[in-house]
Amino acid sequence: MNRPFKIVTEAAQSFSFSRRATMLGLGQGAVGLVLAGRMAWLSVAENQHYKLLSESNRVNMTLIPPRRGWIVDRHGAPIADNRTDFRVDIIPDRLEHKEQTLSLLSHLLALTADDLDRIQTDLKRAAGFQPVQVEQNLDWERFAAVSVRIPEMPGVAPTRGFARNYPLGAAVAHLVGYVGAASAEQYEKEKNPLLVTPGFKLGKDGLEKTLEDRLRGKPGAKRIEVTARGKLVRELATRPDIPGQTVRLTIDAGLQEYAARRLGPNSGSVVVLDTLTGDMLAMVSMPAYDPNSFSQGIGRMEWKMLSEDDHVPLMNKVLQGLYPPGSTVKPMHGLALLQNGVDPDRTVFCGGVLQVGRGRFHCWKRGGHGAINMHRAIPQSCDIYFYQMARELGYDRFAPTARQMGLGAQYDLPFVSQYYGTVPDSAWKEKKYGKPWTVADSINASIGQGYLLVNPMQLAVMAARLSSGREIVPRILLDQPHRPAASLNLDPEHIRVIREAMWSVVNHGGTGGGARMYVDGVDMAGKTGTAQVRRITMADRRAGRTGNASFPFKLRDHALFVGFAPADNPRYACSVVIEHGGHLITNQDAPQTAADVMTYMFDRDLAMKRLLAAEETWGGDIATRMAAKRAAFMAAQNAPVPPPPEDVDSARSNVVEAAATTDRTAAPNAAAEGSPEDGE
Amino acid sequence: MTGPGFVPTPVAQLPWKITLLVFAIGAFGLVVLYSAAGGSVSPWAERQATTFFAFLVMALIMSRFPESLWKNAAFPVYGILMVLLVLVEALGAVRGGAQRWLDLGFIRLQPSELMKPAIVLATARFYSMLPVREIRRFGAIWPAALLIGLPAGLVMMQPDLGTALMITFGGITVMFLAGIPLRLFIGGALAVAVAIPVAFSTLLHDYQRKRVLIFLDPESDPLGAGYHISQSKIAIGSGGIFGKGFLHGTQSHLDYLPEGHTDFVFATMAEEWGLIGGCLLILAFMLLVRWGVGVGIRAQSRFSRLAAAGLSTTIFFYVAINLAMVMGLAPVVGIPLPLVSYGGSAQLTIMLCIGMLMSIDRANRSATRTERI
């Protein structure tokens, strides 16, 4: 008490009580105001925050995966679309009796051992809430069989959704890629709950991957009101999904499928370009995986079979395959000579061998071509002519033309990776190996060997640019802004000489007679090529081992062809690469393949007739052959198979890496030792 | 207060204003309980209505009794309740578990609940007996401290921190009003303020410390110990100014809000009636408490003064601790909201307080009437 007087009387005590009671009342009032203020703070200032929390309590949202946008060809025919899919998933978090459930499911769905393996592996990797697919693409009976037994199997979720469908199957695998469930890393990166929604798939490769943003669409949502114990109260309005955009490609689906079939059992690629616009009409790499099957999850047997195949079905050879172009670059080198002022009528004597220093460089024709000029050297594919010219001019005078024709370039295409090869010159070699350029390097490069490396897309661009004199740039999306190709400002006389020489290759006694189309009024012009992947030693020559048949597959030559048609008014340009083809089987060789593919553009019936006849010689169409191959592989397997890697992407790029290194190392070997050379 | 007229005098003399206020609070509580049951009178509103009206009538009857009755009953009641508290403690020990009530057949008697007004009466009685000059001596402090400490300690052992605190607060309030030197309270408050952090870091176990931290930041553990507070704040905060509307609360109807009809009934109410409903309810309680303190100030005898102000402070503590708890300003201690929360015991306590307050009020008025005459 800070009062001057002490409580000693009744009156003082009463006064003290009144004071203190008033203090008490005021204090209580103050507390009341604080409480009211606190309530105002919660319900006004933080109202939005708590409203949101209350809503997220009340409403349980289930995402509905959006229907993926279609990929269609230039005429609107579907390359990738969606079909209704009955699917069964497992939500690992809710799974109670794993073994029991799996055995019941395998009974109901007739799962194979391979399927069960994959499910087990996926279950181990799954992040709790991430659904694991048991089986999709079910027929109604099996779907219903699972649906009625759901109460016995907590954690099993039968769903009706949409699945990606590729009507052309393997023929478009490397073009569009495939789709699959998001990996754990992708979810970590994007943090989008859609990625772990059952049935949602995103692009894993090819256009499906690079055009993901346009194709994905916006998910719908099923909203239900639930109690704290998770009991459903009622369904709220469902928000429909917004399907992804349709993407129109420059591809002609018919041609794409035709080219894929025409490649037959070979490991190879076909590119067809429109020589006026650069539109890619076909981009085929075979053999390939079946994107329909990949999109349903990759079985370990399937993975093993594909990754062990020496025809590298997991690699898009059009953009990732690097090859020495061989003689296919001779017309382009001819143009380089014209641009450097060489008279096309100038003759060089070909005696079959050119001695340079201590090295001997052979022509493919043993006896030699005799006196030969450019007009004949290109159709006859005379090596000595180009050796001689390269020795005189040096490859540094050729390289600018090679680049002008599109070699060594990377194109702005929506694909995950491109290997763009090498157009070598002295500066490049100095930088890369620290060694001076030699005459032998020029000689090797002059016939498309040595350091020169290209991909099939570049070869097609080269053919297109030679045919039109325009700076053709390949494009794949039809809705992309399109600029007419700029002129390369070539001398029309130069183009005429080269085009005529390329016409002669096919139609006037040249080395490419196999590429004749036999379509009235339409001639093909082109150039064949052979790329050696090994050195022919003197010992080989003495033993007569120059024929490809005597070597194992991996050591045989690549067979190449570039061309355009019609020869007099070019509309389409193509490149065909048959890996390790070795020109062994005539109807599977590069020129014949190119001829039939180009025929398809002018006379479909004729082309189809030839294809069906040819397919009889190699065991039917793609699906039939893939099924047979699969069955044979399965029969040959008895050891347990390791699971496929989780990130197929990285695993596949290893395959590509390995394949690319093989090609890269093969070429410098050939160059360093000089493929047609025998230095003794 | 009213003159002669159509209404018979005994009826006219009933404290109508305060009865109406209490009735309004109780009726609003019934409406909230009706909604908390999902729009149904059973199981809560119906039974609550019965007890509410029974206790209200009891309070009105109590108002007719002379205040001296409470004065004389103070110590005996306190004694009986102490015995019962010990009995409860012993029973709990025998049965192996915490027990707070005695089953008397027709009612489950919770002695600690009744101790809340009883401690006020007992301390008031003690100070009314104390000669005026003794108030600044030590002899004015230790008997009261003992009176408070014994029941508070027993209740703490149950363990029921909330009720123990309320008993302590009730007794200390009377000590304060009785005129115990202010420096003791200031010194005591400072000592507690210093002791709390020290006790926090030394005396408490890890799990207890965690509990305190969760109270300070309930969102850090929204599914565990912080769940009650989090959900309650969500209910109040999502109500906004005007609320979600009667019977449209989602937190309560979908069972996200635990104890939505008992301790957290204010959150149930606030979700549907918003800030408006909450402020009106707080205002009603403050009017009730202000009336009670006013009755104390106007009272003639020392016992009546201390008892009236102390009893109304007991009502105040109920309201303040409960509201602070549901709005996340205090830890969850299990104090119901008087007249609104479902449950007989707390209602009985409050009505006893109100009944005695009415009785004292009546004595005050007849005294002023007598003086005027």
Side-chain angles (χ1 to χ4, degrees):
Chain A
M1 241 355 77
N2 301 322
R3 284 180 300 171
F5 62 94
K6 312 252 179 205
I7 304 172
V8 282
T9 63
E10 288 276 346
Q13 197 174 47
S14 172
F15 181 66
S16 154
F17 171 80
S18 296
R19 271 184 61 138
R20 290 197 174 190
T22 310
M23 273 166 66
L24 186 70
L26 287 175
Q28 289 168 344
V31 170
L33 283 177
V34 167
L35 291 171
R38 169 68 175 173
M39 188 176 175
W41 171 256
L42 289 179
S43 61
V44 179
E46 300 206 298
N47 178 241
Q48 286 306 317
H49 170 66
Y50 286 117
K51 238 184 188 155
L52 209 71
L53 287 176
S54 152
E55 274 303 283
S56 73
N57 263 348
R58 178 175 81 98
V59 179
N60 194 331
M61 214 164 69
T62 318
L63 289 178
I64 304 169
R67 279 161 289 172
R68 208 168 165 77
W70 285 24
I71 299 176
V72 298
D73 86 336
R74 60 188 300 121
H75 307 300
I79 291 176
D81 55 17
N82 306 308
R83 57 176 167 72
T84 311
D85 176 42
F86 294 112
R87 198 178 63 240
V88 172
D89 297 317
I90 289 180
I91 314 295
D93 247 9
R94 303 196 189 131
L95 189 62
E96 280 171 21
H97 317 288
K98 184 174 162 193
E99 296 310 323
Q100 201 181 319
T101 305
L102 282 183
S103 76
L104 183 55
L105 280 176
S106 105
H107 168 69
L108 291 174
L109 298 172
L111 300 176
T112 64
D114 200 17
D115 289 332
L116 281 172
D117 269 358
R118 180 187 54 73
I119 296 166
Q120 292 276 14
T121 314
D122 286 356
L123 276 176
K124 272 186 210 119
R125 283 175 187 157
F129 45 87
Q130 191 180 353
V132 167
Q133 176 187 298
V134 175
E135 187 66 296
Q136 60 183 1
N137 200 11
L138 293 168
D139 53 61
W140 170 248
E141 282 73 24
R142 287 197 293 167
F143 181 74
V146 173
S147 299
V148 296
R149 302 192 66 170
I150 273 311
E152 296 168 51
M153 302 183 288
V156 175
T159 323
R160 189 186 158 151
F162 291 95
R164 202 61 162 162
N165 180 44
Y166 305 95
L168 302 182
V172 294
H174 290 298
L175 176 67
V176 293
Y178 63 102
V179 295
S183 68
E185 296 96 86
Q186 273 163 325
Y187 177 67
E188 280 303 309
K189 209 168 77 187
E190 218 175 304
K191 284 287 174 220
N192 184 345
L194 176 62
L195 263 57
V196 291
T197 306
F200 176 76
K201 301 228 163 129
L202 44 69
K204 288 280 190 174
D205 194 23
L207 297 173
E208 292 275 28
K209 182 171 187 175
T210 51
L211 301 178
E212 177 65 26
D213 291 346
R214 293 175 60 181
L215 293 170
R216 184 181 288 185
K218 297 228 163 57
K222 202 162 82 185
R223 294 162 68 235
I224 52 171
E225 195 174 278
V226 288
T227 68
R229 285 171 202 86
K231 206 181 112 208
L232 180 127
V233 177
R234 63 190 161 127
E235 290 200 10
L236 305 171
T238 294
R239 191 180 74 206
D241 63 316
I242 301 169
Q245 294 173 34
T246 297
V247 175
R248 199 162 178 160
L249 305 182
T250 59
I251 296 293
D252 179 326
L255 179 68
Q256 174 86 12
E257 189 190 12
Y258 184 90
R261 285 173 70 177
R262 186 58 186 80
L263 276 170
N266 290 302
S267 167
S269 56
V270 174
V271 179
V272 179
L273 294 179
D274 184 314
T275 56
L276 302 180
T277 59
D279 285 1
M280 254 190 250
L281 299 173
M283 188 185 108
V284 181
S285 171
M286 291 302 281
Y289 55 88
D290 178 0
N292 290 308
S293 153
F294 260 36
S295 296
Q296 293 169 19
I298 305 165
R300 59 172 72 178
M301 273 296 184
E302 186 179 14
W303 176 257
K304 184 174 195 287
M305 179 178 96
L306 292 171
S307 53
E308 283 176 0
D309 193 333
D310 61 2
H311 285 39
V312 277
L314 294 171
M315 173 171 148
N316 180 4
K317 296 173 191 111
V318 172
L319 293 171
Q320 296 168 340
L322 288 179
Y323 309 92
S327 304
T328 56
V329 291
K330 280 176 182 164
M332 182 270 286
H333 283 166
L335 177 66
L337 294 177
L338 294 172
Q339 287 175 334
N340 281 292
V342 173
D343 183 350
D345 292 320
R346 189 190 140 179
T347 55
V348 166
F349 182 77
C350 167
V353 177
L354 181 70
Q355 182 89 31
V356 178
R358 287 187 298 136
R360 290 162 63 82
F361 293 86
H362 289 265
C363 186
W364 68 270
K365 193 169 181 181
R366 273 200 121 159
H369 291 94
I372 196 164
N373 63 10
M374 188 190 293
H375 300 299
R376 276 188 65 232
I378 293 175
Q380 295 304 319
S381 199
C382 176
D383 292 334
I384 302 291
Y385 176 85
F386 288 95
Y387 294 161
Q388 182 59 39
M389 291 299 170
R391 184 160 83 161
E392 285 177 20
L393 274 74
Y395 198 73
D396 281 5
R397 309 274 287 270
F398 289 70
T401 308
R403 295 194 188 101
Q404 189 181 30
M405 292 300 120
L407 302 189
Q410 187 167 19
Y411 301 107
D412 181 21
L413 291 171
F415 289 95
V416 181
S417 67
Q418 284 181 49
Y419 291 104
Y420 47 91
T422 310
V423 173
D425 58 20
S426 53
W428 170 85
K429 192 185 175 190
E430 187 66 47
K431 188 166 168 240
K432 173 119 186 177
Y433 295 104
K435 286 183 189 159
W437 187 262
T438 66
V439 177
D441 291 334
S442 287
I443 288 173
N444 279 327
S446 73
I447 58 157
Q449 294 283 156
Y451 294 117
L452 194 58
L453 278 182
V454 300
N455 69 32
M457 178 61 70
Q458 291 167 340
L459 286 177
V461 170
M462 178 181 76
R465 289 187 181 182
L466 281 174
S467 74
S468 67
R470 292 188 173 274
E471 194 178 355
I472 299 299
V473 175
R475 79 172 184 150
I476 184 80
L477 301 177
L478 203 59
D479 56 3
Q480 232 172 23
H482 178 243
R483 294 177 302 277
S487 170
L488 287 163
N489 294 319
L490 302 179
D491 187 332
E493 177 58 19
H494 294 172
I495 297 189
R496 195 192 60 75
V497 169
I498 300 303
R499 268 164 55 169
E500 201 175 282
M502 288 175 79
W503 176 82
S504 298
V505 168
V506 180
N507 302 290
H508 201 249
T511 53
R516 228 171 286 175
M517 297 197 294
Y518 305 103
V519 174
D520 283 344
V522 183
D523 284 346
M524 167 99 90
K527 184 69 192 82
T528 56
T530 303
Q532 281 175 229
V533 294
R534 55 152 169 73
R535 177 188 176 208
I536 302 174
T537 62
M538 210 53 202
D540 285 332
R541 280 183 204 280
R542 273 194 295 270
R545 278 199 305 267
T546 52
N548 277 288
S550 54
F551 290 101
F553 176 77
K554 274 287 181 190
L555 293 180
R556 291 174 196 166
D557 299 338
H558 298 311
L560 302 91
F561 185 84
V562 298
F564 54 85
D568 49 355
N569 180 25
R571 282 289 286 121
Y572 307 111
C574 72
S575 74
V576 175
V577 176
I578 309 285
E579 279 191 353
H580 307 296
H583 308 298
L584 289 177
I585 305 167
T586 308
N587 76 348
Q588 293 180 21
D589 204 356
Q592 285 77 1
T593 306
D596 284 355
V597 168
M598 291 298 248
T599 303
Y600 181 89
M601 298 308 294
F602 300 99
D603 187 342
R604 263 170 216 210
D605 295 337
L606 179 60
M608 285 311 291
K609 214 165 79 191
R610 287 187 200 152
L611 173 65
L612 292 173
E615 276 184 338
E616 277 175 27
T617 68
W618 62 58
D621 63 8
I622 300 168
T624 315
R625 277 184 288 113
M626 278 174 80
K629 196 167 177 179
R630 195 183 161 82
F633 182 83
M634 295 300 226
Q637 290 296 322
N638 39 23
V641 179
E646 182 171 17
D647 193 349
V648 173
D649 234 18
S650 65
R652 213 231 6 254
S653 65
N654 290 343
V655 176
V656 172
E657 209 58 77
T661 342
T662 321
D663 277 324
R664 276 174 182 158
T665 48
N669 282 348
E673 308 192 16
S675 51
E677 168 210 12
D678 2 293
E680 292 277 28
Chain B
M1 287 285 213
T2 44
F6 305 107
V7 190
T9 312
V11 177
Q13 280 179 2
L14 285 176
W16 283 115
K17 278 185 197 164
I18 211 64
T19 308
L20 271 177
L21 182 62
V22 170
F23 177 79
I25 296 174
F28 189 43
L30 293 178
V31 168
V32 174
L33 288 180
Y34 174 79
S35 172
S40 159
V41 290
S42 69
W44 302 314
E46 207 171 41
R47 293 178 57 187
Q48 179 84 344
T50 318
T51 49
F52 174 74
F53 287 113
F55 289 143
L56 187 59
V57 168
M58 177 200 75
L60 287 172
I61 292 169
M62 282 172 73
S63 73
R64 305 298 296 182
F65 288 108
E67 55 174 328
S68 57
L69 179 65
W70 320 125
K71 186 175 176 179
N72 297 332
F75 280 146
V77 166
Y78 176 84
I80 293 169
L81 287 176
M82 276 304 293
V83 170
L84 291 178
L85 270 179
V86 173
L87 212 63
V88 167
E89 193 64 31
L91 270 180
V94 169
R95 292 190 191 163
Q99 191 173 349
R100 295 174 184 176
W101 40 264
L102 290 171
D103 203 339
L104 299 184
F106 64 97
I107 190 171
R108 279 179 174 173
L109 191 66
Q110 199 173 325
S112 61
E113 189 64 36
L114 292 175
M115 190 48 102
K116 288 170 189 169
I119 190 70
V120 171
L121 295 182
T123 12
R125 178 81 184 96
F126 166 70
Y127 285 110
S128 70
M129 283 163 30
L130 198 73
V132 173
R133 62 187 71 242
E134 293 291 317
I135 195 67
R136 299 190 67 80
R137 304 241 169 97
F138 185 57
I141 295 170
W142 71 262
L146 204 64
L147 277 177
I148 299 164
L150 283 176
L154 279 172
V155 173
M156 193 72 170
M157 281 163 65
Q158 281 183 350
D160 186 351
L161 179 67
T163 306
L165 278 177
M166 276 196 64
I167 291 171
T168 314
F169 287 163
I172 288 180
T173 305
V174 176
M175 290 173 77
F176 168 74
L177 292 168
I180 298 295
L182 201 55
R183 59 186 145 81
L184 289 181
F185 293 98
I186 295 170
L190 284 177
V192 169
V194 172
I196 283 178
V198 175
F200 179 73
S201 54
T202 58
L203 291 179
L204 294 186
H205 292 288
D206 274 350
Y207 76 94
Q208 286 170 319
R209 226 171 283 162
K210 196 179 156 210
R211 226 178 257 177
V212 174
L213 291 175
I214 284 167
F215 151 63
L216 293 175
D217 182 17
E219 273 83 8
S220 68
D221 185 18
L223 291 178
Y227 184 77
H228 285 57
I229 292 181
S230 292
Q231 296 301 333
S232 170
K233 280 163 77 180
I234 291 173
I236 296 169
S238 63
I241 297 177
F242 301 105
K244 294 175 183 170
F246 183 52
L247 295 180
H248 285 96
T250 56
Q251 286 287 103
S252 52
H253 291 169
L254 300 177
D255 301 330
Y256 289 97
L257 181 68
E259 303 294 327
H261 61 292
T262 56
D263 288 359
F264 287 87
V265 73
F266 185 80
T268 303
M269 186 282 303
E271 189 182 15
E272 297 188 354
W273 299 87
L275 182 63
I276 305 278
C279 284
L280 281 176
L281 195 57
I282 293 174
L283 182 69
F285 278 120
M286 287 305 136
L287 286 176
L288 182 66
V289 172
R290 198 189 78 149
W291 165 77
V293 174
V295 166
I297 291 177
R298 286 191 300 272
Q300 303 301 310
S301 74
R302 182 152 168 77
F303 170 79
S304 305
R305 283 176 190 160
L306 294 176
L311 290 173
S312 41
T313 305
T314 298
I315 300 176
F316 166 79
F317 279 136
Y318 265 107
V319 176
I321 293 178
N322 177 269
L323 293 191
M325 175 178 95
V326 299
M327 294 196 275
L329 293 176
V332 178
V333 287
I335 298 291
L337 186 64
L339 303 175
V340 181
S341 285
Y342 176 75
S345 276
Q347 237 188 138
L348 174 62
T349 314
I350 295 298
M351 286 301 199
L352 285 173
C353 294
I354 292 172
M356 286 186 277
L357 282 168
M358 283 173 168
S359 160
I360 296 167
D361 187 32
R362 189 166 165 277
N364 291 347
R365 277 185 287 177
S366 50
T368 45
R369 234 189 336 262
T370 320
E371 273 167 21
R372 271 185 206 147
I373 293 167

